Amino acid sequence: MNTTAATLYAISAITVLAGAAIAPALGSIAQNFPGVDPILIQMLITLPSIMVIPCTMLSNKVCHRFGKKPVLVAGLLFYFVGGCGGGLTDNIWTLLAMRALLGIGMGTITPVCHSLPADFFQGERKVTVIGRMSAFITIGAAVCSVGAGWLAVLSWRASFGIYAVSLLVLLMVILFLPSPRRMETPSLASAPVRLPRKVYLLGLTMLVYMAAFYAFPLGLSMHLETAGIGDSRTAGYLFALISVIAFAIGMVFPKFMAFFGRRLLMVLLLCMGGGYLIVAFGGSAALVWFGCCLVGVGLGGLTPLHYVLVNRAVDKEATVKAVSVLVAGTFAGQFASPFLLLLIKNIPAAHLNLGLFGSIGSVMTIMGLCLIPVLLLTRAVPAPATVSSRTSARASARQ
């Protein structure tokens, strides 16, 4: 592992930490701000995700103006100040301002980070780095959430100290991350970047997929208790299992992708949908654990697959803007997940005794099955010949 790749993995590990890290301390925070509207307390979790979305859409112009590395450094400084600063205030509005600043930092570093593999790596190596970045997102979120929980035992202020890890990441960026080459032609840099419709479609599917996935932890504990299979501790073990499997899939993602080829999206959707259905109707602890294994496979493969497809759909100069669409879809999905729960309670599927997991699993399974005729009726598009392949072809022709 070279230092550039290690730096990208470190940045990835903190990109989804923003909102959820202080969740274990939310009750203590509410107690220390008596009389404050509970909605404002809940906004401490949701506000960073809301701020990420508009910031990602501006990241392309900012990177063209100042360069990716300076923007990344500035974003990490916002991340550190907004994250750790929340533990130093005694005013709810100042605390919310710090959370907004944290969201700005998140919205700055996330699209830049996920666009950098296209600047430093090519071919299978790029796919490997993208897969491992997704793996470190999963394991980083799990480790940091546990760390924040332990700090919350000391005090609610200490829980904000988990964001200090961004200083180490900032140091790695300054020391080990090369500065990507900036666009040299002013006319090109100022011209609007047009993205293919495929990128926006991938952003939409990322939104739906993330909304479905984040509904999983919101309802798993209650489902286990209702079914008499387990409790909140069991749910915690299952989340750890999902994280470990997703991490493993991300680490071997290029081999995973090479093995399934064009069928990979279908396989991942069927794994995710099948996992939800097994959890919903399994009726035993063994089947629930197996269903969560399938969910982990889907989680570990769908995220890097989206980023690989986006990188392939655009030129290197447009990667920041294209990745911004995926990042916006990711955080919009997180924000929309609680509303998905309310929607499912009111749709006809709820009256068919499908429940939360059955409804989501049915939709994702149907999506996967719908890809079967598409795969059968279409052929794989051959990859465009590279300069080296054309040169070797000419040499063979001369011989």
Side-chain angles (χ1 to χ4, degrees), residues 156-225:
W156 69 269
R157 295 183 185 277
S159 64
F160 288 88
I162 195 66
Y163 295 108
V165 71
S166 58
L167 279 182
L168 175 61
V169 178
L170 175 62
L171 184 62
M172 293 181 68
V173 169
I174 294 173
L175 294 179
F176 303 129
L177 188 71
S179 296
R181 185 176 61 86
R182 295 175 60 181
M183 294 180 65
E184 298 177 357
T185 308
S187 59
L188 289 177
S190 59
V193 178
R194 294 184 179 275
L195 299 178
R197 284 177 291 182
K198 179 180 180 181
V199 172
Y200 295 104
L201 180 60
L202 288 169
L204 179 61
T205 59
M206 180 68 89
L207 187 156
V208 174
Y209 150 59
M210 281 295 170
F213 173 73
Y214 279 94
F216 197 79
L218 294 175
L220 182 58
S221 179
M222 184 179 299
H223 173 76
L224 293 175
E225 292 176 0

Side-chain angles (χ1 to χ4, degrees), residues 222-244:
M222 184 179 299
H223 173 76
L224 293 175
E225 292 176 0
T226 303
I229 299 174
D231 52 19
S232 58
R233 288 180 299 176
T234 308
Y237 296 143
L238 291 172
F239 294 148
L241 174 67
I242 291 172
S243 299
V244 169

Side-chain angles (χ1 to χ4, degrees), residues 2 114 125 129 150 208 230 238 255-256 264 271 301 322 325 360 374:
N2 61 37
H114 286 286
R125 178 59 176 161
V129 171
W150 280 101
V208 174
L238 291 172
K255 295 181 179 179
F256 203 65
L264 181 58
C271 282
V325 175
I360 296 175
V374 175

Side-chain angles (χ1 to χ4, degrees), residues 314-351:
V314 298
D315 296 329
K316 185 168 67 174
E317 291 77 8
T319 51
V320 175
K321 186 172 182 179
V323 167
S324 297
V325 175
L326 282 189
V327 175
T330 300
F331 285 92
Q334 293 181 26
F335 180 73
S337 189
F339 302 101
L340 179 66
L341 295 176
L342 296 176
L343 177 63
I344 289 177
K345 290 180 180 179
N346 297 306
I347 61 177
H351 302 289

Side-chain angles (χ1 to χ4, degrees), residues 225-283:
E225 292 176 0
T226 303
I229 299 174
D231 52 19
S232 58
R233 288 180 299 176
T234 308
Y237 296 143
L238 291 172
F239 294 148
L241 174 67
I242 291 172
S243 299
V244 169
I245 292 177
F247 177 80
I249 294 296
M251 294 298 289
V252 298
F253 181 73
K255 295 181 179 179
F256 203 65
M257 191 172 184
F259 181 80
F260 288 104
R262 297 171 61 238
R263 302 182 298 275
L264 181 58
L265 180 58
M266 178 195 69
V267 170
L268 293 174
L269 286 173
L270 291 177
C271 282
M272 200 91 172
Y276 273 89
L277 290 174
I278 291 172
V279 171
F281 304 114

